[in-house]
Amino acid sequence: MNKEGNQYTFLFSIALVVVVSVLLTVVSTGLQPRQNANVENEKRQNILRSVKIEVSREASGEMFDQYITRRLVVNARGEEIPGDAFAIDPGKEMKKAPGDRRLPLFIARVNGETKYILPVRGTGLWGPLWGYISLNEDKNTIFGAVFDHKGETPGLGAEITREEFRSRFDGKTLFEGDRLVAVRVEKGGKASGPHEVDAISGGTITSKGVEAMLLNTLSCYEPFLKKQP
Amino acid sequence: MILSSHDRRLLLGPLNKNNAILVQILGICSALAVTAKMEPALVMGISVTAVTALSSVILSLLRDAIPTRVRIIVQLVVVSALVIIIDQLLKAFAYDVSKQLSVFVGLIITNCIIMGRIEAFALANKPWPSLLDGIGNGLGYAFILLIVAFFRELLGSGTLFGLPVIPGACYRWGYANNGLMILPPMALILVGIVIWIHRARNKDLIEP
């Protein structure tokens, strides 16, 4: 067959694409369980990290069951509804109309104190941001914060995952009087007061994304947070 | 030495006088993007080396079967398949590093070094020299990334591979990390300085 003819070119292309797609399917399905386990364990790790418990990814399953005493799902009015909080993807819920959202949250018992852990979801410079905010029993003071991202620039926006940035949120409060203001992320080292933290140099858009993420997601939980236990 | 002098030149040439970044000015984009820290730079270097080596061998084996008119598409298909496999492997077995590199693993596909070596070398040579050429060019790329990342991480964050190396006393005496080092422009300037030093040492590379 003529190597430069149309027939050969088509046959070659088809054969190549079939071989490559079969190969990729095998690799992808073969590695899927491992990848999913990594993602789920990382989620447990992040939830625990928000209440300042550092565990390895391998040990996260066991430690998670030990510290997280309750998982619950609430609706936009702050009422508990049935559902598995761990399986709910907050990113998908945020796309729904506010009334239809199922809002997951976790209650942890750490050193004899109750902590509320709320997932947050938002957008950075290149893609989604997410994280967990843990609140003290007053449902107002931040006990710890954890952030993660899909594709922020390493060394710049990606620094939001670092302890040094996350710890800036400790002790900040969400409510100003009766109003939920969350925490603003301010540029240029001028942050002060209980509702402001310093942004990251070179990562302004990501920092502002964190700010918007906190306000948007936490305001969904406002009825729950205002409810007295 | 197991390798003949010709093979040795294929493997080691790209580390010096044939360096893709320094001499051909290829692969600059990712050299700027992932060099703020040593660890992502190292993994990126290893990943690119794996892709250049494997894609060079595969395409060299196929070189007599590939129709000339669709050869660029064939190269793209092979390279992207390899990159996706590496990305999947990293996600399954080196999850933390894969998260650090994030989008840049996928962007290996667009690294001009890979397509450049396939076009210029693998399609015209046997698999063994192509493998050496691929590894050599990948290592040459990794080498420059590590040099740039070393200075950016050291001067920008005061750490190497995430470990603090500048003694705390220096900070108390008024030393401060240079935030500019971790911003993209400094990567470009550092690559420029490395090229300058390299040209100064290799006068024959200086264009008239």
Side-chain angles (χ1 to χ4, degrees):
Chain A
M1 205 188 302
N2 174 15
K3 201 187 119 187
E4 299 304 329
N6 285 344
Q7 210 182 353
Y8 178 82
T9 306
F10 272 106
L11 285 176
F12 182 88
S13 311
I14 291 167
L16 180 79
V17 170
V18 168
V19 170
V20 166
S21 43
V22 168
L23 184 70
L24 289 182
T25 316
V26 169
V27 170
S28 171
T29 39
L31 295 175
Q32 198 80 55
R34 267 196 91 96
Q35 293 173 351
N36 288 347
N38 279 341
V39 172
E40 280 184 10
N41 281 337
E42 191 194 27
K43 185 172 173 181
R44 293 193 185 95
Q45 227 182 346
N46 276 336
I47 291 174
L48 288 176
R49 191 172 288 146
S50 77
V51 284
K52 306 199 186 296
I53 297 165
E54 289 290 339
V55 292
S56 70
R57 211 178 310 123
E58 292 72 34
S60 60
E62 198 186 316
M63 299 295 272
F64 188 78
D65 295 336
Q66 190 182 325
Y67 282 100
I68 304 297
T69 49
R70 269 193 82 198
R71 335 162 160 196
L72 59 151
V73 185
V74 295
N75 63 16
R77 290 184 300 282
E79 299 153 350
E80 200 178 332
I81 52 172
D84 177 10
F86 193 78
I88 290 177
D89 176 359
K92 281 191 190 137
E93 299 301 317
M94 290 304 285
K95 291 198 182 90
K96 292 183 185 168
D100 298 338
R101 286 180 192 153
R102 296 176 299 153
L103 306 164
L105 69 105
F106 305 90
I107 299 176
R109 191 110 190 122
V110 184
N111 300 332
E113 289 171 36
T114 305
K115 308 286 177 199
Y116 296 91
I117 304 169
L118 313 180
V120 288
R121 219 26 108 96
T123 319
L125 172 60
W126 302 114
L129 301 177
W130 61 93
Y132 298 90
I133 300 288
S134 69
L135 302 174
N136 284 340
E137 214 153 355
D138 62 359
K139 293 183 181 171
N140 181 23
T141 315
I142 296 179
F143 177 66
V146 168
F147 303 112
D148 212 340
H149 62 94
K150 180 155 168 76
E152 301 307 299
T153 321
L156 302 175
E159 299 286 289
I160 56 165
T161 59
R162 288 174 60 114
E163 167 71 28
E164 201 259 322
F165 176 73
R166 298 190 277 114
S167 61
R168 295 177 196 174
F169 288 83
D170 297 359
K172 302 285 171 187
T173 52
L174 301 180
F175 286 94
E176 199 169 78
D178 212 19
R179 206 161 56 91
L180 180 90
V181 290
V183 181
R184 282 184 296 274
V185 185
E186 291 291 346
K187 251 173 106 164
K190 56 174 192 270
S192 61
H195 306 296
E196 284 182 3
V197 296
D198 256 333
I200 289 167
S201 321
T204 305
I205 299 179
T206 312
S207 304
K208 284 290 167 194
V210 170
E211 172 181 312
M213 163 169 85
L214 293 179
L215 188 60
N216 292 344
T217 329
L218 293 177
S219 57
C220 304
Y221 287 91
E222 195 173 344
F224 172 80
L225 295 175
K226 281 184 171 164
K227 214 190 247 176
Q228 290 310 312
Chain B
M1 201 64 188
I2 335 157
L3 299 171
S4 69
S5 70
H6 177 69
D7 286 351
R8 220 169 30 240
R9 216 166 35 245
L10 284 177
L11 188 62
L12 301 178
L15 285 167
N16 188 12
K17 285 202 178 178
N18 272 324
N19 191 284
I21 296 185
L22 299 184
V23 181
Q24 295 145 34
I25 321 290
L26 291 177
I28 292 286
C29 343
S30 54
L32 305 185
V34 298
T35 50
K37 294 273 160 67
M38 292 283 278
E39 197 189 351
L42 179 69
V43 177
M44 185 71 176
I46 295 171
S47 306
V48 169
T49 307
V51 175
T52 39
L54 291 172
S55 62
S56 287
V57 173
I58 293 170
L59 286 156
S60 169
L61 287 168
L62 288 174
R63 70 188 185 283
D64 292 326
I66 300 173
T68 326
R69 281 185 295 171
V70 292
R71 71 179 194 288
I72 300 280
I73 299 172
V74 172
Q75 291 167 19
L76 266 179
V77 170
V78 171
V79 173
S80 358
L82 286 169
V83 170
I84 293 169
I85 291 173
I86 289 198
D87 191 30
Q88 297 281 324
L89 285 172
L90 286 178
K91 276 191 185 132
F93 297 103
Y95 188 68
D96 299 306
V97 180
S98 103
K99 288 196 49 155
Q100 275 191 332
L101 285 171
S102 61
V103 292
F104 296 108
V105 177
L107 288 178
I108 294 176
I109 300 168
T110 62
N111 193 319
C112 324
I113 297 174
I114 298 170
M115 294 280 283
R117 289 329 292 169
I118 295 168
E119 262 301 277
F121 197 90
L123 286 184
N125 286 281
K126 292 208 174 83
W128 174 242
S130 300
L131 173 71
L132 294 177
D133 181 76
I135 294 177
N137 277 284
L139 290 178
Y141 170 84
F143 180 51
I144 304 302
L145 249 63
L146 286 174
I147 294 179
V148 176
F150 175 82
F151 288 107
R152 288 184 75 191
E153 188 174 350
L154 181 69
L155 301 176
S157 311
T159 57
L160 287 178
F161 286 103
L163 303 169
V165 286
I166 294 180
C170 295
Y171 290 103
R172 284 195 292 279
W173 292 334
Y175 174 83
N177 288 328
N178 185 347
L180 186 60
M181 292 305 288
I182 55 173
L183 295 178
M186 274 320 283
L188 192 61
I189 291 171
L190 276 174
V191 172
I193 293 174
V194 175
I195 293 176
W196 177 20
I197 296 170
H198 187 248
R199 287 289 201 282
R201 291 171 56 103
N202 297 286
K203 300 259 187 255
D204 50 322
L205 289 176
I206 302 172
E207 292 94 7

